[in-house]
Amino acid sequence: MRTTTLWAALATAVLALPVSAHAAVDEPAHPRATAGVKPRSDAWEARVVALTNQRRAAHGRKPLKAASCPDSYAEPWTKHLATKRVLVHQDLTPMLSCPHTSYAGENIAYGYETPRALVSAWMHSPGHRANILSRHFHRIGVSGWRATDGTTYATQDFVG
């Protein structure tokens, strides 16, 4: 874990494995607030995707497509992070079951309230920046949840 301020932190992970077979992943129902944690809005999450794609375009990369499979991993994991108030990566291996996927990566963070601050922080960290700009990734899932203390936890899950 890398701490960037007293109350904001980031973490990144990447998994790249050849995959010979791809299994479909069932899409979970839209998560609901439980135990006081609440999801950020769909508009908040869409803004994170848009800002991420702006950064990719500025570096000559194709845009990432918001997709249900990586989102099905981002949503429950971010809810878990906000509920437990921890910053740890999930096992990326199950993401390789997303259709047409040989690579998976993840950026996580807490303490960044706006999509602009979040994406900016990720872009100023070498590992996170590498995930955002990777030519291996084509699809993305984004999730944001507020913990009971109001802190936002966020996840970007990348597949390609």
Side-chain angles (χ1 to χ4, degrees), residues 43-98:
W44 189 94
E45 293 173 354
R47 184 73 178 138
V48 172
V49 174
L51 290 167
T52 297
N53 280 331
Q54 285 177 10
R55 299 299 174 95
R56 286 178 64 87
H59 291 86
R61 305 300 192 274
K62 293 179 181 178
L64 298 167
K65 180 181 178 189
S68 61
C69 190
D71 199 61
S72 73
Y73 292 97
E75 287 292 344
W77 190 250
T78 312
K79 180 180 176 184
H80 166 78
L81 297 177
T83 300
K84 300 295 184 184
R85 297 185 63 201
V86 297
L87 191 68
V88 295
H89 286 285
Q90 64 186 307
D91 179 5
L92 301 181
T93 305
M95 283 183 224
L96 296 173
S97 68
C98 289

Side-chain angles (χ1 to χ4, degrees), residues 18-146:
V19 178
S20 57
H22 304 285
V25 175
D26 292 333
E27 293 182 35
H30 187 29
R32 300 176 209 228
T34 59
V37 299
K38 298 178 183 174
R40 298 300 306 248
S41 70
D42 289 342
W44 189 94
E45 293 173 354
R47 184 73 178 138
V48 172
V49 174
L51 290 167
T52 297
N53 280 331
Q54 285 177 10
R55 299 299 174 95
R56 286 178 64 87
H59 291 86
R61 305 300 192 274
K62 293 179 181 178
L64 298 167
K65 180 181 178 189
S68 61
C69 190
D71 199 61
S72 73
Y73 292 97
E75 287 292 344
W77 190 250
T78 312
K79 180 180 176 184
H80 166 78
L81 297 177
T83 300
K84 300 295 184 184
R85 297 185 63 201
V86 297
L87 191 68
V88 295
H89 286 285
Q90 64 186 307
D91 179 5
L92 301 181
T93 305
M95 283 183 224
L96 296 173
S97 68
C98 289
H100 311 290
T101 297
S102 299
Y103 298 90
E106 179 171 83
N107 289 344
I108 57 177
Y110 73 89
Y112 298 94
E113 295 308 309
T114 68
R116 184 168 302 283
L118 177 64
V119 174
S120 177
W122 277 331
M123 286 299 291
H124 284 91
S125 167
H128 301 94
R129 178 186 181 96
N131 276 347
I132 289 171
L133 299 179
S134 175
R135 294 181 194 274
H136 292 293
F137 300 135
H138 309 289
R139 288 162 287 145
I140 188 171
V142 171
S143 178
W145 281 76
R146 281 194 190 275

